[in-house]
Amino acid sequence: LATQPTLFILNADIRVDRPAIETLEGALWNLPAAAVVGPEGSFFGFYTYEDIVGIRKGQVPGPQFVDAVSGFFFAVKRDLFNRRILRFEDDYTPCLTEEWDLALQVRQAGYRCYVVPVTGYEHAWGISRQPDKIVRYWRNEQATPRQILARNRIRFWRKWLSAAGELVLGPGEPNGPELPPPSGSALLQSRILEITGPVGGEQAPSNASNQNK
């Protein structure tokens, strides 16, 4: 149903001012190879399924490429969905892991995610900080974030280990590869190594806080 070239994805409880929207949209169309931009994000470890470095509101002085942008507020190019380069993965319903999955789709297609320093928004962290809260979804389904993460971790690993050629799925198994994959090291390694190098790869970049989720 969207008609504009820029899509904004926001949580229902977030408050945003106009300059924040305009700044993100400008960054999306001007930063090199940008596909997704937002005010917060992280470098994450694929194999450990956790953030290495979280970048929060106001913690970077300028645009910073990251592994993933936080899902509560971000801008993305609509054309990437129209051309079926990006999609939101239904298997992670009702929540959690979607932004990491989207980020790996971005990387697989040769694009980048960026954190852009805007501060004109208010967002209270919710379900991701309440691991034992009951989440109800569909008609009769319910689970805690802890249970959802345990399930989604396996789905995430199966999908992307397969895409990277590190896991061979049999015929008819879900999450089989659909595109010719790059090498596993290129697809699944955190981009933080582009800043720190392979030695000390879990150190924070100089312009980011070492604060995890």
Side-chain angles (χ1 to χ4, degrees):
L1 299 177
T3 60
Q4 299 303 306
T6 303
L7 301 180
F8 283 90
I9 310 297
L10 300 90
N11 277 17
D13 61 349
I14 193 171
R15 296 185 177 184
V16 184
D17 65 23
R18 182 168 180 169
I21 293 289
E22 292 173 342
T23 299
L24 287 182
E25 184 168 28
L28 181 66
W29 294 98
N30 288 290
L31 289 171
V36 178
V37 301
E40 302 187 27
S42 69
F43 295 94
F44 68 87
F46 174 84
Y47 298 99
T48 59
Y49 194 70
E50 63 183 1
D51 281 348
I52 299 170
V53 177
I55 301 177
R56 301 296 172 239
K57 186 176 184 178
Q59 290 184 338
V60 289
Q64 170 68 62
F65 69 81
V66 290
D67 289 333
V69 168
S70 296
F72 68 87
F73 175 28
F74 65 90
V76 58
K77 293 176 177 176
R78 178 172 63 91
D79 181 60
L80 297 177
F81 288 95
N82 289 347
R83 292 190 285 140
R84 302 179 183 272
I85 292 172
L86 300 182
R87 58 167 291 190
F88 290 112
E89 180 60 75
D90 292 338
D91 279 352
Y92 304 122
T93 299
C95 57
L96 306 174
T97 309
E98 306 101 315
E99 56 261 67
W100 286 1
D101 185 89
L102 188 69
L104 286 181
Q105 293 178 52
V106 167
R107 185 184 303 180
Q108 186 178 46
Y111 293 92
R112 283 195 166 197
C113 299
Y114 289 88
V115 166
V116 177
V118 300
T119 57
Y121 66 94
E122 295 297 331
H123 169 250
W125 290 94
I127 202 69
S128 60
R129 302 287 175 87
Q130 302 176 63
D132 296 309
K133 180 181 176 66
I134 296 295
V135 179
R136 292 179 172 82
Y137 60 103
W138 299 134
R139 282 191 174 182
N140 301 306
E141 299 290 332
Q142 66 178 41
T144 66
R146 193 186 307 277
Q147 293 169 329
I148 294 166
L149 280 172
R151 179 197 69 192
N152 286 353
R153 177 173 62 243
I154 301 303
R155 294 176 177 178
F156 179 68
W157 278 338
R158 282 175 62 85
K159 175 179 178 178
W160 290 105
L161 286 171
S162 173
E166 298 185 25
L167 174 68
V168 178
L169 297 175
E173 289 194 68
N175 295 335
E178 297 179 357
L179 298 173
S183 66
S185 60
L187 180 61
L188 304 181
Q189 190 66 256
S190 174
R191 286 194 183 278
I192 198 172
L193 298 184
E194 297 179 32
I195 300 172
T196 64
V199 178
E202 294 194 0
Q203 297 174 2
S206 60
N207 60 345
S209 166
N210 195 22
Q211 176 185 348
N212 291 339
K213 279 185 177 178

